[in-house]
Amino acid sequence: RGFQGFSDTGSAIVANLGSVVNTWQGTDPTNQNFWDVATTANWTNSADTVFQQGDAVIFDDTASQFGVSRQENITVSDITFANATNAYTLTAQTGLETLTIDGIVNANNAAAVAINGPVTVTNGLNLEGTGDLSFNGNITGTGGIQKNGTGTTTLSAQPGYSGNVNV
């Protein structure tokens, strides 16, 4: 993944190993629906079979499992849903595992997608595409929400983000 330096979070020194684009497979022999950091082999990418914080992710119809359970707090750069046939549900295992999105959520030609549990946006939430997205949990963070495309986006919980909603 290519070493890109260290950063100091105040409580730890973190090595930035670079990020890759991961495609969800859901084929780990023991935990087919687990989304965690650097542990469960449910992804394909150019470097290995695990997700690392900050990676971009793709959920498409090539997967074996379409119910995905976040086992811990997850941070992604971008999320692409390219699932024309199979609906995806991304769930927080205990209801508390936060999905932090630093970039774009793209749902072009996607079947239904439900994101359950808390979501944090760091630079605003940019929703693009023709697919339908449901956010069934609190959305917090800064920058508001920008909606582009013809898909329907449903926000089911009280928002806690700052910024406007632009459709």
Side-chain angles (χ1 to χ4, degrees):
R1 292 185 176 205
F3 179 73
Q4 296 179 358
F6 292 102
S7 63
D8 185 350
T9 67
S11 62
I13 301 295
V14 177
N16 182 350
L17 301 177
S19 62
V20 298
V21 177
N22 291 281
T23 301
W24 174 258
Q25 296 300 299
T27 55
D28 183 82
T30 307
N31 299 305
Q32 295 88 4
N33 69 333
F34 278 24
W35 184 0
D36 51 31
V37 178
T39 304
T40 307
N42 276 325
W43 301 91
T44 59
N45 62 53
S46 61
D48 50 43
T49 59
V50 296
F51 171 85
Q52 297 288 349
Q53 297 286 30
D55 285 350
V57 295
I58 298 171
F59 294 95
D60 64 17
D61 286 324
T62 65
S64 298
Q65 179 72 279
F66 301 96
V68 181
S69 177
R70 293 189 308 277
Q71 301 300 300
E72 57 191 293
N73 294 336
I74 298 290
T75 299
V76 299
S77 56
D78 297 319
I79 301 176
T80 299
F81 293 99
N83 53 313
T85 305
N86 298 290
Y88 269 97
T89 302
L90 279 57
T91 302
Q93 179 196 21
T94 67
L96 301 176
E97 295 79 13
T98 300
L99 175 61
T100 299
I101 303 169
D102 287 336
I104 294 171
V105 177
N106 187 319
N108 271 329
N109 302 314
V113 174
I115 299 176
N116 301 328
V119 172
T120 298
V121 295
T122 58
N123 297 307
L125 184 56
N126 295 305
L127 306 171
E128 299 182 355
T130 58
D132 294 341
L133 294 168
S134 295
F135 289 88
N136 303 309
N138 289 333
I139 299 175
T140 59
T142 58
I145 296 176
Q146 176 69 44
K147 171 71 174 97
N148 299 309
T150 59
T152 299
T153 299
T154 303
L155 308 176
S156 298
Q158 178 69 32
Y161 58 86
S162 62
N164 295 324
V165 175
N166 299 308
V167 180

